[in-house]
Amino acid sequence: MPDSTTIKVSVRTRDALRELADREGLTFDAQIEKLVRRERQRIIGAQLASAPPDADDKAWLDASAGDVADASG
């Protein structure tokens, strides 16, 4: 890890992070990266869920694998 920094967290948060990291065999850094990625995905999912699909979205979602193959050929 070429660049690093120190962050201050409570002992409880540190211990919870250590437990998660140990359970998955990850470093603190890797566990934090994973949690950040999941949070970003959760935010994107919430944004997508709050906007109903329009007609083009519905057509794309209803397309079969054959339709996609035909369109790319």
Side-chain angles (χ1 to χ4, degrees):
M1 180 174 16
D3 293 324
S4 65
T5 189
T6 301
I7 60 171
K8 292 185 179 195
V9 297
S10 69
V11 171
R12 187 177 79 169
T13 298
R14 181 206 60 202
D15 291 347
L17 182 60
R18 167 55 60 207
E19 183 182 331
L20 288 171
D22 286 349
R23 185 181 314 166
E24 297 189 39
L26 299 173
T27 63
F28 264 33
D29 185 60
Q31 184 64 47
I32 291 170
E33 265 186 55
K34 185 176 183 177
L35 293 170
V36 167
R37 180 175 171 83
R38 284 183 180 172
E39 179 61 9
R40 284 183 179 145
Q41 291 172 335
R42 186 196 65 76
I43 291 168
I44 290 168
Q47 290 170 338
L48 289 171
S50 69
D54 62 17
D56 288 338
D57 293 334
K58 287 180 183 177
W60 184 84
L61 291 169
D62 290 339
S64 69
D67 295 335
V68 173
D70 290 344
S72 65

